Amino acid sequence: VFLVIFAFFLPTHAELVLLMTLARHGSRSPDSTVVQYCPNNRNMYMYSAPFSELTIRGMHQAWDFGKYLRQQYIEEHKFLPERFEELNMNFSGFHSEFWSDSAVRCLQTTVAFGYGLYPREYFGEEFPIVPLPVHSEIKTFDDLFAAAKADCSGVRERDEIAFANTAGLRILQANRNTVNKVGDLCGFDIMSLEPVERVSAWKDVADFLDSDHEQELPLMPGMSPELYAEASRLSFKLLMQRFYATQRQITYWAGQFPERLLNEIRKAITHDHQGRPVNPRYVSFTSHRELIYAMILMMEWNFKLEGEPSYNNHYKLPPLTTLFWELHRKDGVSVGINDTIPEDRLSDAYFVRIFVWTPIHGRVSVTTKFCKTDKCSLDEFFSSIETHVGKTGAWDEICGVNYEDSKYVRICRELFSSQFQATSAHSENVQAAHPQSSSNKLREFDAISHRNGSRYLVKKHGSSQHPDDTEQGKDAKDHDRFRDPWMVNNDQREQDEMEDLDWEDDEMEAYDWEEDEDRLSYSRHADKHRRKSSHSKRKHARAKARKHAKKNTVWTRRRMMNIAWMSLISIIVAILSIMVDRALFREHHRTDGYSE
């Protein structure tokens, strides 16, 4: 019995398979709005960067974080190679992959962090440094890092307006003394603004004070440490109430990131348990604080940051706060080409270790109600996300995002709608009388996207059903919960692709374009109006061209007449000059004869 108990407490060794981090950007300068909201704080001119950008201190924070990862995962655990460009076993790409929000301060943080992870002295003599490839998305469609400001912007704006006129109004009124004191020191009456602007202005001013504190700049004249601490606590409370008051808000602020997180784990498990190398072994994500808070609240992480303001047992995150996910294969589990882990044992063969790191507090342990320790089994880890999404629905359902269209189609729709904004406005007035009309341009965009092999499925009507919605499909999806469905078998994947494409072709033929309420449509009256408008414009252009041509003709005739008259005058002057010369010559000879 003693040996059994002793063996239970022995440390077990597991092999690290995949590392993922989600980091907040480094310390930054304040937003440009502080010029209006806090003109008395002259610290705005003391920053080493433009408004809203990464400061030198922020770059050092990111660099130090990269050196921390190098010491942990390269020098100590030998998990990553010493050189970024070192080839992996199957030559399929780099060992590390870097993703970032498109904001400049996030991109700069990623690059500075990468240089700390792979310092200059390890690049060799071929080139002074190796430029790190950083992946990013178009801001308007960045649902990975900022869905609430991309495809969910409409829902977010409505929620923010409702908050500013209800809970936000009550919170600021209850803390009116603090707001007025800070406003008096700043030289601007924040409470005089409309509710929505008031909440936004207080956030910008509080961020300004936080940036001063992070840069170790002196407090502005009249600002006491107690007043700053009170303002910081109020801004954090407003942030949590404004963005994360409901489970639904947490879901759409997290956006596509939870899905990406689970997919990376599925892909790594699929490769590893089949004996294939995992690539990339490290995936880095850099974003804003809003996504990090959303992930913490979604997975219900609990940890303590000493010295930071708190609200509902959650703490304010300093710059460069980073969430860690380490996928480990348990000790004693062998993998290989001829030693594949059975499907029903995948959840028992791996676990995910979670923790938080900050430049101030270092590594911080995390507890969660889904995991008994900081080592979450796959079932526990997947449940921490699936349970939350199961209550609220997926983020794209909340925001009404039609992801059945490809991103190409959505971009074209946005460009098309902005190009014909005036026609759209007219169409809205007559659409009620003619609801069956639709946009030929959008049909063309959708058809092009479908012909180009887009795997986003068209909207379904009637009794049409996707194969995944059948009982057999549901069983298959539950069976492959921890596996990457596109990495199982090449032949099976190709067969599935052909079946999906055939099914999509059938659905495309049966698609009822007239009943699609999500698409922009132009009525027959609007089309007729556009044709009349175009005809009128062409007629006006032709009349203008004729008038211009007539003017050119008259001008040309006048110019030719002027040239003719000038030529005639020149000829007459030349003839007169010759006649005068001849007369003078004869007169000269006559005078010479008399003299003789």
Side-chain angles (χ1 to χ4, degrees), residues 8-119:
F8 178 80
F9 285 101
L10 281 176
T12 58
H13 299 281
E15 182 176 349
L16 182 58
V17 176
L18 174 68
L19 171 65
M20 288 183 290
T21 60
L22 173 61
R24 184 190 174 191
H25 58 76
S27 182
R28 66 173 179 92
S29 59
D31 294 328
S32 59
T33 54
V34 299
V35 176
Q36 175 187 356
Y37 297 143
C38 198
N40 291 346
N41 190 348
R42 313 308 292 176
N43 286 340
M44 69 178 73
Y45 305 108
M46 303 296 291
Y47 286 84
S48 58
F51 287 120
S52 305
E53 302 302 347
L54 195 69
T55 63
I56 299 297
R57 181 178 292 271
M59 296 177 189
H60 278 288
Q61 291 171 342
W63 192 19
D64 292 339
F65 175 53
K67 291 192 290 186
Y68 167 78
L69 254 69
R70 181 173 187 84
Q71 187 269 329
Q72 290 289 320
Y73 296 99
I74 296 179
E75 298 173 358
E76 184 175 337
H77 296 293
K78 309 295 182 184
F79 176 66
L80 295 174
E82 287 193 347
R83 296 161 60 95
F84 171 73
E85 72 276 17
E86 184 173 321
L87 297 176
N88 53 32
M89 294 177 61
N90 56 352
F91 299 92
S92 60
F94 297 111
H95 290 273
S96 302
E97 193 171 278
F98 300 91
W99 288 80
S100 172
D101 185 281
S102 59
V104 175
R105 58 180 177 269
C106 294
L107 293 168
Q108 283 185 302
T109 299
T110 305
V111 174
F113 153 71
Y115 288 154
L117 181 60
Y118 297 107

Side-chain angles (χ1 to χ4, degrees), residues 345-396:
R345 290 188 54 205
L346 283 178
S347 181
D348 298 329
Y350 296 89
F351 67 87
V352 179
R353 174 176 287 163
I354 56 177
F355 61 93
V356 174
W357 183 91
T358 77
I360 302 173
H361 310 86
R363 178 165 173 164
V364 180
S365 59
V366 174
T367 60
T368 173
K369 77 172 189 178
F370 293 97
C371 306
K372 302 178 179 65
T373 66
D374 64 341
K375 300 176 183 179
C376 300
S377 68
L378 288 186
D379 278 327
E380 293 171 340
F381 184 77
F382 274 67
S383 296
S384 66
I385 294 176
E386 293 173 350
T387 301
H388 180 95
V389 176
K391 295 177 182 178
T392 64
W395 71 273
D396 51 345

Side-chain angles (χ1 to χ4, degrees), residues 231-388:
S232 183
R233 286 192 296 269
L234 175 58
S235 68
F236 183 56
K237 180 179 180 179
L238 272 175
L239 174 72
M240 301 301 286
Q241 285 285 324
R242 180 185 181 189
F243 293 150
Y244 314 108
T246 65
Q247 299 291 315
R248 167 179 154 276
Q249 287 178 289
I250 295 172
T251 301
Y252 71 67
W253 270 106
Q256 218 173 36
F257 189 83
E259 180 183 354
R260 173 65 182 275
L261 189 69
L262 298 183
N263 285 340
E264 291 289 344
I265 292 177
R266 290 190 186 101
K267 184 176 69 173
I269 292 175
T270 301
H271 279 245
D272 185 69
H273 96 279
Q274 293 179 356
R276 293 187 288 167
V278 176
N279 186 64
R281 307 192 75 187
Y282 170 49
V283 185
S284 167
F285 301 98
T286 307
S287 182
H288 300 279
R289 57 188 161 184
E290 288 83 3
L291 174 58
I292 301 177
Y293 282 124
M295 292 303 300
I296 290 173
L297 294 169
M298 174 178 285
M299 298 184 293
E300 299 190 31
W301 284 16
N302 296 307
F303 54 90
K304 187 175 182 179
L305 300 179
E306 295 288 346
E308 299 296 336
S310 64
Y311 176 74
N312 283 350
N313 295 323
H314 292 287
Y315 289 82
K316 196 169 186 176
L317 303 178
L320 244 299
T321 296
T322 307
L323 312 186
F324 277 75
W325 296 275
E326 293 180 349
L327 176 65
H328 292 261
R329 186 185 342 108
K330 292 182 179 179
D331 186 34
V333 177
S334 59
V335 294
I337 298 177
N338 299 320
D339 196 14
T340 303
I341 302 174
E343 299 292 335
D344 56 354
R345 290 188 54 205
L346 283 178
S347 181
D348 298 329
Y350 296 89
F351 67 87
V352 179
R353 174 176 287 163
I354 56 177
F355 61 93
V356 174
W357 183 91
T358 77
I360 302 173
H361 310 86
R363 178 165 173 164
V364 180
S365 59
V366 174
T367 60
T368 173
K369 77 172 189 178
F370 293 97
C371 306
K372 302 178 179 65
T373 66
D374 64 341
K375 300 176 183 179
C376 300
S377 68
L378 288 186
D379 278 327
E380 293 171 340
F381 184 77
F382 274 67
S383 296
S384 66
I385 294 176
E386 293 173 350
T387 301
H388 180 95

